Amino acid sequence: MARYPGLTLRILAEKQPAMGPGKARLVAAIDATGSISAAARSMSMSYRRAWQLVDALNESFSEPVVVTATGGRRGGGASVTPFGRDLIRRFRAMEEKASAAIVRDLQLFSRHLKRRPPARGAR
């Protein structure tokens, strides 16, 4: 079953969000691009904001989620640690499990939502 897009799972640490869908997407983008700046661009996020989120992630967990390398001949970069990959895998599994647990309730609940007419030009 696909994750219900309206469900937002957040894991808190000391009342601060340690992991949520945005941070999970950022980590996945860093893993795909090998770069915090490229990951930020792919998400239409500022480099500064991406760095803040990476820093918050690394501060929230017992091991680093993302490690960085400073410039030089190859220009530096960032990589997701095996621990970080495992965190994202577990977080996605929890999202799936939460969606599966409420799928029937969502179907019943959705019957009461107003239906919006399709946008003009939409087929």
Side-chain angles (χ1 to χ4, degrees):
M1 174 198 164
R3 184 180 76 78
Y4 173 68
L7 177 69
T8 301
L9 178 66
R10 294 194 195 293
I11 308 299
L12 302 179
E14 306 275 328
K15 299 184 182 180
Q16 298 297 319
M19 181 64 74
K23 287 179 179 175
R25 276 186 54 219
L26 178 61
V27 172
I30 292 168
D31 202 23
T33 63
S35 162
I36 293 173
S37 60
R41 277 192 305 276
S42 76
M43 295 177 66
S44 300
M45 178 187 296
S46 75
Y47 177 71
R48 181 176 188 272
R49 180 66 180 140
W51 250 112
Q52 289 172 331
L53 292 173
V54 166
D55 189 46
L57 276 163
N58 285 338
E59 288 294 319
S60 295
F61 292 98
S62 59
E63 296 180 40
V65 176
V66 175
V67 292
T68 59
T70 55
R73 296 174 95 193
R74 301 190 70 197
S79 60
V80 177
T81 64
F83 175 75
R85 283 189 192 97
D86 188 53
L87 278 180
I88 299 308
R89 183 189 58 74
R90 289 172 188 251
F91 181 77
R92 295 291 186 217
M94 288 188 295
E95 285 181 319
E96 293 291 328
K97 196 181 279 188
S99 286
I102 63 171
V103 68
R104 180 73 179 129
D105 295 317
L106 283 170
Q107 291 168 344
L108 295 171
F109 192 87
S110 295
R111 292 180 188 166
H112 302 288
L113 295 174
K114 286 185 178 180
R115 304 285 180 227
R116 291 191 174 163
R120 285 194 169 171
R123 295 183 195 244

